[in-house]
């Protein structure tokens, strides 16, 4: 439940931004510059970092918004349960395991994070650029995690929006629900149906409209 009286009980990112739009005007560009930039990380791995770091910080909103996108981009859904128990024992290759351990320490123990952690990641086969990419992505989601937790929106479950969210993220410049999804909802629906089926798409659209993040219908604050 939202902690701010001018927000709906079920509050999502775009709704929070409407409180102070000028303060968030640069946010889409920041997301594009970090998440859509060239990297040896795949789209799925980028979304995995975002979802995993959000889960570690206890932000259900961002976790459920992004783990379905990671799955849509090829990440095994069962992996999320494994890495939340212990990334060291996750059934993944050495490079992916090292990346997850790196992100976990950055989130859970930032005060003890050191050059040795970066060197261990690179020793597993990643580049220095990838270490920097993982840090930027974790930091990007940290901002949104704090925004959602602070406004009381961290418990909103966005899992059902996964199919449409994945399409929006993949359209051009890492689109956001408040932009691409609203403006091109029919195109997004057609693409989602072809990839994820009619049932999952309709469920996503229904939940998106309910929250005011898909289509032109906006949920009024109270």
């Amino acid at each position: 439940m939202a902690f701010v009286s001018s927000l709906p009980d079920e509050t999502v990112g775009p709704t929070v931004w409407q409180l102070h739009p000028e303060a968030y005007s640069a946010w889409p560009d920041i997301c594009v510059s970090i998440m859509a930039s060239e990297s040896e990380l795949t789209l799925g791995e980028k979304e995995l970092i975002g979802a995993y770091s959000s889960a570690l910080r206890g932000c259900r909103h961002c976790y459920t918004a992004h783990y379905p996108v990671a799955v849509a981009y090829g990440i095994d859904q069962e992996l999320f349960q494994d890495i939340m128990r212990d990334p060291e024992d996750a059934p993944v290759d050495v490079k992916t395991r090292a990346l997850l351990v790196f992100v976990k320490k950055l989130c859970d123990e930032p005060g003890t994070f050191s050059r040795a952690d970066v060197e261990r990641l690179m020793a597993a086969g990643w580049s220095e650029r990838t270490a920097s990419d993982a840090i930027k992505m974790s930091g990007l989601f940290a901002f949104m995690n704090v925004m959602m937790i602070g406004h009381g929106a961290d418990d909103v479950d966005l899992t059902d929006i996964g199919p449409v969210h994945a399409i929006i993220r993949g359209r051009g410049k890492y689109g956001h629900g408040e932009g691409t999804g609203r403006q091109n909802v029919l195109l997004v629906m057609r693409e989602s149906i072809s990839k994820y089926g009619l049932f999952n798409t309709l469920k996503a659209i229904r939940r998106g409209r309910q929250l005011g993040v898909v289509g032109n219908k906006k949920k009024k604050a109270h």
Side-chain angles (χ1 to χ4, degrees), residues 181-193 209:
R182 289 180 185 274
Q183 296 168 5
N184 303 305
V185 63
L186 293 179
L187 292 177
V188 171
M189 283 182 66
R190 292 193 192 102
E191 190 173 344
S192 179
I193 290 171
R209 288 190 182 282

Side-chain angles (χ1 to χ4, degrees), residues 98-164:
L99 180 66
L100 295 170
V101 170
F102 181 85
V103 171
K104 179 175 174 58
K105 185 169 184 181
L106 189 60
C107 293
D108 288 353
E109 305 174 68
T112 65
F113 200 79
S114 69
R115 179 171 182 166
D117 294 298
V118 175
E119 291 175 343
R120 275 192 288 273
L121 183 67
M122 293 172 64
W126 295 106
S127 67
E128 184 176 290
R129 168 58 191 267
T130 298
S132 181
D133 286 346
I135 292 167
K136 292 195 295 284
M137 290 168 194
S138 181
L140 181 77
F141 278 83
F143 172 80
M144 184 53 69
N145 297 160
V146 171
M147 292 302 300
M148 295 300 101
I149 291 171
H151 285 92
D154 55 298
D155 62 344
V156 176
D157 193 324
L158 300 178
T159 303
D160 286 348
I161 298 180
V164 168

Side-chain angles (χ1 to χ4, degrees), residues 17-221:
W17 299 338
Q18 290 170 19
L19 290 176
H20 305 286
E22 70 286 353
Y24 303 108
S25 60
W27 179 248
D29 289 336
I30 292 172
C31 288
V32 169
S33 66
I34 293 177
M35 297 298 286
S37 61
E38 290 188 14
S39 173
E40 64 178 322
L41 294 169
T42 66
L43 289 174
E45 288 167 339
K46 290 178 180 180
E47 293 292 335
L48 173 61
I49 290 172
Y52 183 41
S53 61
S54 297
L56 291 171
R57 297 187 188 100
C59 184
R60 187 184 188 195
H61 174 285
C62 295
Y63 170 68
T64 58
H66 288 271
Y67 95 77
V69 181
V71 171
Y73 289 157
I75 300 297
D76 185 351
Q77 186 168 358
E78 294 183 1
L79 176 61
F80 285 93
Q81 297 178 353
D82 294 327
I83 63 177
M84 289 310 299
R85 285 193 292 268
D86 186 356
E88 292 276 13
D89 294 330
V92 292
D93 59 81
V94 173
K95 285 185 68 175
T96 303
R97 185 178 298 114
L99 180 66
L100 295 170
V101 170
F102 181 85
V103 171
K104 179 175 174 58
K105 185 169 184 181
L106 189 60
C107 293
D108 288 353
E109 305 174 68
T112 65
F113 200 79
S114 69
R115 179 171 182 166
D117 294 298
V118 175
E119 291 175 343
R120 275 192 288 273
L121 183 67
M122 293 172 64
W126 295 106
S127 67
E128 184 176 290
R129 168 58 191 267
T130 298
S132 181
D133 286 346
I135 292 167
K136 292 195 295 284
M137 290 168 194
S138 181
L140 181 77
F141 278 83
F143 172 80
M144 184 53 69
N145 297 160
V146 171
M147 292 302 300
M148 295 300 101
I149 291 171
H151 285 92
D154 55 298
D155 62 344
V156 176
D157 193 324
L158 300 178
T159 303
D160 286 348
I161 298 180
V164 168
H165 203 179
I167 298 298
I168 291 172
R169 290 290 184 223
R171 293 178 70 85
K173 294 185 176 181
Y174 196 73
H176 275 68
E178 79 284 2
T180 309
R182 289 180 185 274
Q183 296 168 5
N184 303 305
V185 63
L186 293 179
L187 292 177
V188 171
M189 283 182 66
R190 292 193 192 102
E191 190 173 344
S192 179
I193 290 171
S194 69
K195 289 186 176 181
Y196 307 112
L198 179 61
F199 176 76
N200 288 330
T201 299
L202 290 178
K203 186 166 64 172
I205 294 294
R206 187 180 305 114
R207 180 62 169 150
R209 288 190 182 282
Q210 182 183 33
L211 293 169
V213 295
V214 174
N216 295 316
K217 182 180 179 180
K218 295 184 180 180
K219 193 170 182 177
K220 295 181 179 180

